[in-house]
Amino acid sequence: MRNPILALGAFSLSLCFVLQTPMTINAQTDLADSDEFFQRTSRTGPERDHTQKIEDLLKRMTLEEKVGQMTQLTIEMIASGKDQNIKVDPAKLEKAVVKYGVGSILNVYDQALTLDRWQEIITQIQEAATKKNRLGIPVLYGIDSIHGANYILGATLFPQEIGMAATWNPELMKRASEIAAIETRAAGIPWSFSPVLDLGRNPLWSRFWETFGEDPYLAKVMGVAFVRGLEGSDVSSDQQVASSLKHYMGYSFPLTGRDRTPAWIPENYLREYFLPTFDAAVKAGARTIMINSGEINGVPGHVNRQILTDILRTELGFKGFVVSDWEDIKKLVTMWRIAPNEKEATRMAIMAGIDMSMVPLDYSFADHLIALVKEGSVPQSRIDEAVRRILRVKFELGLFEKPMPNAALKSKFATAESRQVSLQAAQESMTLLKNENNILPLAKTAKVLVTGPTSDSLISLNNGWTYVWQGSEESLYPKDRHTIRRAIEAKIGAGNVTFVQGTKITRRPGSTSNNTPTDIDEEVDIAAAVEAAKNVDVVVLALGEGSYCETPGNITDLTLGEPQLKLAQAIQATGKPVVLVLVEGRPRIINRIADGAKAILMAYNPSNEGGTAIADVLFGDVNPSGKLPFTYPRTPNGLINYDHKPFETENTSFGNMAFNPQFRFGDGLSYTTFTYSDLRLGKQTISANEELPVSVTVTNSGQRAGKEVVLLYVSDLVASISPPGKRLRRFAKISLNPGQSRMLNFTLRSDDLSFIGADNKRTVEPGEFDVRIAGLSQRFTLK
C-alpha cells in the first residue's frame, strides 16, 4: 500500500515499454525514481496527541528537573572502565539520572559493544531513571549509527553515505536505514545521530565521505530515504529510531576545507544549496536536529538565532528538538571566543534555539542554566519550550511505555537477509570510471597480482564511525568478511593470486603539541611487487586512504600519498595491465597514474561486504551501475562543481581554462551500453503554473543486462542571478535487458525552474530553458 504524497515538489515518472522483451524487474532498483520515491515516503501513520501528558508532566517538574532534561552526558559520566571493560557505576548513574535528572546519555567509551552488553547497560540506565527518579522520566540514549549500527559488534554495516549516493537508489538507502534502525533499537537505543545532510562541495573536507555528494537534489532524495527508513510510519515501534539531521547547516563548506573552521556563505547561496536537504527531511518527519559545529560569516552555528529559530522554526516549521554537538557550548568560549565565560555562552545558545546541550563531560551546563533562570537572564518560558520538545520525542518514541530493550529483537539482528542488502548496496555503489579496450571484466582463469595499501584492509573498506570513532581498531573487525585480496582469492582460487602489499598506511599517534593521530603512507616492498608483476596476467592495484573522521582527517593536499604513486608508476612501468581500485572517502588526485591504468574502479568506502562486491565487479558476476555523486578533480586546486557558472570555464578571453576534471559528476560505465533517443517536450512554451511533460527513450544497445541511472538536468539560460550551467532536477534508475528499450515520462513544474534571488527568496523568472538528458537537449520558453 502506498503512503500519502509528500509535497516536496511535484514531478512524476512513468515507464512505457517500447520493446516487449521478457525480463525480470528488480523492484528495489526500478522503483527508485526520485519523485516516485517522494510520493511514497511521506511521514505516515496516525500521530497520537501527547500534549495533555506533556503539560501535566511539565506542571509537576521543578526547574532543576526541567534543566536536567535539557542535559546530555556521555556514557563515561555514568560508568567505570572503558572499551570492553566498561560497566555502569551505580553511584555515578544515580548522580546523573536521580540527582540531576539527566534527560539523555550518548556514545561509547571508546569501543563498540556486543548486543548483550548494550541491553545490559541500557536496562540499568532505564531502571534508575524510571524507578529511582521522582517522575520516572526515561533517558533518551543516542548513538552515531552512521552506516548501520556501527557501535554494536556484529551489526550489519553498509557503504558510507557517499557510496550510498553512488547507487542512486533511494529505495536501497531506505532499506539500509530500516535495518540500521532495527539493529540499533535491538540494543535498547532509540535515537541515531544520522543522517548527515551536509553537502560535499569541497572534497578536501575530512567528512566528505559522510555526505551524499555535491548536488542538493540527490542529497535531498537520499536524505529523505534515510530518515524514513530510520523513523518509519510509527517511530514508537520497537523497530524504529528517531533521526537527527546534521549538521544544520553549512558545516561542510569551510573556506579552508579543514573541519570546524570558518565558512563564508552568502545567504542566497546557503538557501539554494545547503538548506534544501534539511527542509525536505523536516517535512519527512525528522524528530531532532544537530547543529553545525563551525561558524558561518563569523557567527557560530550554536548562537545563530536566524538559522536556529527564524529559518528552522518559523520557515521550515520544525517541531522536534535541537541538540548541540560535542562540547560546542563550551567552545563558544574556548574556541570561537564570542562569550567571556561558559555561563554567558549557555545563555546565548539557549536563547538562540538550542534545546539540549551535549555537554557532555560535566554538569556545568545544568548548573549555569539553573542560575540563569533564577536571575531572570533566561525566561522560564524558554525552558518549558525546550522541555516540551524533548518530552514530545520521548513520548513519540514510546519510551514511557517501553523504556527497556526488547530481547526478542535479537532474532532480527545481523540476519542473512540484512547482509545481502549490504552486499547489494556495495555492488550498486561500484563506479567504473575507465575500462580501456574492455579489459574488465577479468577472466576467472587469469593470474592476478593484488597489491596496494587498501588491498588487504577492512579498515579502508569502512573508514571512520566503525567500531570506534576513527574506525582504526583492527581487532574489532569481523574475521569472516573478505578484504579485496581475500575476495579475489575466493573468486578465482588462491593459486591464481599473488599478494604483495607494496605500501602501507600507518596510523601515527599525535605528538605532545598536537594530539591528533594521522595516517602516514609508507613504502613496504615496492621492488617485490614489481618483480611479482612479471609473472601474472594483470595487476589489481588497490590504493586510497586509511580511516579518519572529523579533525584527524584534515589534510592540505588532495594528492594521493607519494609512496602509493611511486608503487603505481613502478607497476605500470612493467607493461602489465593495471586495474586501479580506489578505496577512499574523498577523491585523491591521481593524474600522474590515471592514464597508465587500463581500468579504474571507484569503490568509496563500501564497508564489510565491499571486498566481495569489488571482486564481483572485477570478474563480471555483477555489472557495475554506480555513478559519481561528485566531481573528481584532476588537480589539487581544480575544485569546481558540476553546476559551475559557464563563464568560470568557458570565457577564454580572460584566460580561464576549460572544465577538465579527472571524472565528471554522473560518470560511471557499464559492461553494456545504453543509447538515448527521442527526447521530447510536451510543450514549447509554458506559463508559470503549467506543467512541462518530458519524455526520453533509453535502450540497452549492448550484449548483457544492466542498470542505468538516467539524469535529467535543466539549464536556465538567463537569470537575474548568474545561472549555473545546469542543475540536476530528476533521476531514475532502471534495469534493461539487451535490446530492450523504455520510454521514461517526466513532468517538470515551476519549482524546478526556480532559484534563490538576491532578496533571499525563491523566484521564477520568464525566459528560455534547456532540458538535457545524456547528450540530448531540447529548449522551451517560460512566459
Side-chain angles (χ1 to χ4, degrees):
M1 181 175 179
R2 291 195 172 188
N3 296 334
I5 294 175
L6 173 62
L8 293 177
F11 150 74
S12 63
L13 168 70
S14 60
L15 300 176
C16 301
F17 290 98
V18 178
L19 181 63
Q20 299 297 326
T21 56
M23 68 169 299
T24 300
I25 296 179
N26 179 343
Q28 207 167 34
T29 294
D30 285 71
L31 295 181
D33 151 60
S34 52
D35 184 67
E36 193 275 341
F37 175 82
F38 269 139
Q39 294 185 42
R40 294 190 289 107
T41 52
S42 61
R43 185 173 183 172
T44 62
E47 291 188 10
R48 290 182 289 175
D49 186 357
H50 300 289
T51 302
Q52 191 60 53
K53 293 179 181 179
I54 293 169
E55 295 304 318
D56 289 345
L57 193 51
L58 268 177
K59 290 175 183 177
R60 299 168 56 200
M61 296 176 72
T62 65
L63 171 62
E64 289 76 11
E65 287 169 331
K66 291 175 181 178
V67 171
Q69 287 300 305
M70 300 170 66
T71 303
Q72 185 180 58
L73 302 179
T74 184
I75 189 173
E76 61 194 275
M77 289 292 288
I78 58 119
S80 59
K82 63 180 298 185
D83 299 335
Q84 301 308 303
N85 296 316
I86 193 169
K87 61 180 180 179
V88 171
D89 183 314
K92 287 184 177 181
L93 178 61
E94 184 161 343
K95 180 179 180 180
V97 303
V98 179
K99 179 181 178 181
Y100 276 89
V102 167
S104 181
I105 299 173
L106 81 154
N107 214 19
V108 293
Y109 186 43
D110 284 319
Q111 296 181 355
L113 302 173
T114 65
L115 187 64
D116 288 339
R117 287 296 306 282
W118 271 121
Q119 290 190 349
E120 176 186 338
I121 289 171
I122 300 300
T123 297
Q124 289 177 271
I125 292 171
Q126 298 295 27
E127 283 182 345
T130 60
K131 296 177 182 179
K132 295 183 179 181
N133 184 285
R134 183 177 74 90
L135 297 174
I137 301 174
V139 165
L140 177 58
Y141 205 102
I143 202 79
D144 290 280
S145 288
I146 302 299
H147 63 124
N150 44 260
Y151 277 140
I152 307 174
L153 293 176
T156 308
L157 302 188
F158 296 91
Q160 299 283 3
E161 276 193 21
I162 198 68
M164 293 305 299
T167 71
W168 295 77
N169 188 341
E171 288 286 1
L172 191 54
M173 178 70 256
K174 181 171 177 282
R175 181 63 187 129
S177 58
E178 287 171 347
I179 293 168
I182 291 172
E183 297 189 5
T184 302
R185 197 71 182 248
I189 300 174
W191 184 21
S192 174
F193 303 132
S194 57
V196 171
L197 295 184
D198 305 302
L199 279 193
R201 293 181 72 83
N202 185 340
L204 197 65
W205 189 48
S206 60
R207 306 187 74 168
F208 183 84
W209 50 271
E210 293 184 61
T211 77
F212 288 119
E214 71 184 52
D215 182 75
Y217 181 73
L218 171 60
K220 179 173 72 172
V221 174
M222 299 300 281
V224 167
F226 205 136
V227 170
R228 297 313 316 135
L230 290 180
E231 298 203 352
S233 60
D234 179 7
V235 77
S236 70
S237 163
D238 60 8
Q239 298 186 38
Q240 309 296 156
V241 298
S243 63
S244 187
L245 315 179
K246 62 185 195 185
H247 307 79
Y248 177 78
M249 66 177 163
Y251 173 50
S252 61
F253 205 55
L255 185 64
T256 65
R258 293 192 292 276
D259 187 44
R260 288 176 169 86
T261 58
W264 297 93
I265 309 174
E267 184 175 343
N268 66 324
Y269 193 90
L270 188 74
R271 289 175 175 273
E272 185 75 61
Y273 287 94
F274 298 96
L275 183 59
T277 53
F278 292 96
D279 185 16
V282 166
K283 289 182 171 65
R287 261 65 181 191
T288 76
I289 287 180
M290 186 181 293
I291 303 307
N292 174 5
S293 286
E295 67 168 40
I296 300 174
N297 306 332
V299 182
H302 285 72
V303 295
N304 195 324
R305 183 175 174 81
Q306 180 193 14
I307 286 176
L308 296 180
T309 298
D310 298 345
I311 295 177
L312 181 61
R313 301 292 182 180
T314 304
E315 293 185 28
L316 304 191
F318 178 60
K319 303 300 182 184
F321 73 80
V322 168
V323 62
S324 81
D325 207 339
W326 188 274
E327 282 192 328
D328 276 339
I329 291 180
K330 292 177 180 291
K331 290 174 184 174
L332 296 172
V333 180
T334 62
M335 184 173 176
W336 301 111
R337 301 185 182 184
I338 66 156
N341 53 60
E342 189 179 341
K343 183 178 179 182
E344 175 60 12
T346 300
R347 186 197 66 79
M348 295 170 71
I350 295 302
M351 295 309 295
I354 299 296
D355 297 313
M356 178 183 286
S357 173
M358 190 184 295
V359 188
L361 292 166
D362 60 36
Y363 293 94
S364 58
F365 169 80
D367 294 338
H368 289 315
L369 187 53
I370 290 168
L372 287 164
V373 175
K374 288 182 176 180
E375 68 189 34
S377 299
V378 172
Q380 180 71 53
S381 60
R382 174 68 189 100
I383 301 299
D384 289 349
E385 179 182 58
V387 177
R388 279 190 189 95
R389 294 165 177 168
I390 294 166
L391 292 177
R392 181 179 296 111
V393 171
K394 291 187 176 186
F395 274 111
E396 288 176 341
L397 283 166
L399 289 181
F400 284 88
E401 299 168 349
K402 298 179 295 182
M404 303 300 177
N406 182 354
L409 288 178
K410 288 184 180 180
S411 65
K412 298 184 178 181
F413 181 81
T415 66
E417 177 189 1
S418 296
R419 183 175 176 181
Q420 186 60 39
V421 175
S422 173
L423 177 60
Q424 181 187 348
Q427 291 168 338
E428 290 202 28
S429 73
M430 294 296 139
T431 304
L432 183 60
L433 297 174
K434 183 179 181 181
N435 194 17
E436 188 175 308
N437 298 322
N438 294 318
I439 187 175
L440 295 181
L442 300 173
K444 293 179 182 177
T445 56
K447 298 293 185 181
V448 179
L449 168 65
V450 177
T451 187
T454 65
S455 61
D456 200 25
S457 171
L458 286 176
I459 289 177
S460 292
L461 291 175
N462 282 273
N463 211 332
W465 298 120
T466 310
Y467 309 125
V468 296
W469 174 42
Q470 293 294 307
S472 54
E473 183 51 59
E474 188 172 10
S475 66
L476 299 177
Y477 281 80
K479 304 301 185 286
D480 61 345
R481 298 298 191 268
H482 288 320
T483 62
I484 298 172
R485 169 199 178 183
R486 297 302 184 190
I488 292 175
E489 289 175 346
K491 181 74 67 176
I492 65 173
N496 288 324
V497 179
T498 302
F499 171 71
V500 180
Q501 189 171 15
T503 69
K504 65 180 179 179
I505 300 171
T506 304
R507 170 62 53 115
R508 293 283 179 85
S511 64
T512 54
S513 60
N514 178 8
N515 196 35
T516 301
T518 56
D519 281 347
I520 304 296
D521 277 307
E522 296 181 325
E523 293 184 29
V524 178
D525 44 12
I526 292 178
V530 169
E531 186 64 27
K534 299 176 182 178
N535 301 312
V536 299
D537 302 312
V538 64
V539 179
V540 173
L541 175 61
L543 305 180
E545 298 182 310
S547 64
Y548 55 91
C549 188
E550 302 186 39
T551 304
N554 282 347
I555 57 176
T556 56
D557 187 349
L558 276 171
T559 304
L560 196 64
E562 187 61 30
Q564 296 192 56
L565 295 174
K566 183 178 178 180
L567 170 65
Q569 290 176 317
I571 294 293
Q572 289 173 351
T574 67
K576 291 300 175 75
V578 174
V579 175
L580 178 58
V581 178
L582 298 173
V583 184
E584 55 190 15
R586 54 193 160 192
R588 304 303 294 263
I589 304 303
I590 56 169
N591 58 52
R592 283 165 51 186
I593 60 175
D595 290 346
K598 296 299 182 182
I600 300 176
L601 180 68
M602 181 68 179
Y604 314 95
N605 299 121
S607 203
N608 287 331
E609 303 300 331
T612 298
I614 290 167
D616 287 343
V617 168
L618 293 181
F619 292 92
D621 291 331
V622 168
N623 192 350
S625 62
K627 301 282 187 182
L628 274 182
F630 56 83
T631 303
Y632 201 117
R634 184 178 296 272
T635 59
N637 291 325
L639 307 181
I640 302 179
N641 301 121
Y642 88 90
D643 51 357
H644 60 275
K645 307 297 178 72
F647 63 80
E648 291 184 84
T649 59
E650 297 172 7
N651 192 339
T652 55
S653 63
F654 290 101
N656 289 344
M657 298 178 64
F659 182 55
N660 188 32
Q662 193 74 59
F663 304 105
R664 294 173 181 260
F665 175 88
D667 275 359
L669 303 173
S670 171
Y671 293 151
T672 190
T673 55
F674 297 96
T675 303
Y676 289 74
S677 62
D678 299 323
L679 175 61
R680 301 175 186 271
L681 305 183
K683 303 175 184 179
Q684 298 302 312
T685 302
I686 62 170
S687 60
N689 60 355
E690 285 186 287
E691 299 175 349
L692 178 66
V694 180
S695 64
V696 70
T697 298
V698 184
T699 302
N700 183 339
S701 50
Q703 301 302 310
R704 63 178 292 175
K707 300 172 183 176
E708 174 69 341
V709 177
V710 180
L711 306 180
L712 185 155
Y713 298 95
V714 173
S715 300
D716 188 349
L717 301 188
V718 178
S720 57
I721 294 288
S722 58
K726 62 181 181 180
R727 294 289 301 277
L728 179 73
R729 294 307 188 196
R730 300 289 182 267
F731 65 87
K733 191 167 189 177
I734 57 174
S735 300
L736 293 174
N737 283 333
Q740 186 180 22
S741 297
R742 293 189 192 179
M743 180 185 294
L744 283 69
N745 294 303
F746 303 85
T747 301
L748 299 175
R749 294 182 180 169
S750 60
D751 277 356
D752 305 310
L753 314 178
S754 68
F755 62 93
I756 302 297
D759 60 357
N760 300 321
K761 297 179 180 178
R762 188 160 292 281
T763 185
V764 180
E765 295 178 346
E768 292 185 317
F769 295 80
D770 285 343
V771 175
R772 303 180 182 184
I773 302 178
L776 307 176
S777 178
Q778 289 287 340
R779 184 164 296 177
F780 70 95
T781 300
L782 175 68
K783 294 189 296 183

